[in-house]
Amino acid sequence: MYLEKRGVPTSTVVSTAFRLHGRLAAKNLQLDDLPQLVVPHPLNDLTPDQVHDLARAAYPVVIEQLTGMGKQAVDTLVAYVRPALRVNA
């Protein structure tokens, strides 16, 4: 967040459990509109391959945030469904 205050683009990644905390921390630093990339919580039970899948899903948003391309949403949810919640068709 300190880099953002200096005009350096960043990508702030938070899990759903820490979304509000991240928003409050940004507000305390007068960065009310700081874009957050929100990933599913928890992460600790994901396998390395699942973490790679999550990272691949988040990658386009990270690039947008770091390059400043386009209007940034305040919170962007990663389009990733935790394997345990997937329904087999």
Side-chain angles (χ1 to χ4, degrees), residues 1-2 7 14 26-27 31 33 40 46 52 63 74-75 85 88:
M1 291 184 200
Y2 295 106
V14 298
K27 184 174 181 153
L31 292 168
D33 295 331
L46 297 177
H52 287 139
I63 295 302
V74 174
D75 286 339
L85 299 176
N88 293 330

Side-chain angles (χ1 to χ4, degrees), residues 23-40:
R23 185 61 39 227
L24 293 173
K27 184 174 181 153
N28 284 337
L29 294 170
Q30 290 81 44
L31 292 168
D32 295 357
D33 295 331
L34 178 75
Q36 291 187 144
L37 176 58
V38 184
V39 298

Side-chain angles (χ1 to χ4, degrees), residues 40 42-43 45-58 78-89:
L43 300 173
D45 61 342
L46 297 177
T47 67
D49 286 338
Q50 292 165 345
V51 172
H52 287 139
D53 289 342
L54 175 58
R56 276 190 283 280
V78 172
Y80 179 80
V81 177
R82 295 177 50 74
L85 299 176
R86 293 179 188 159
V87 177
N88 293 330

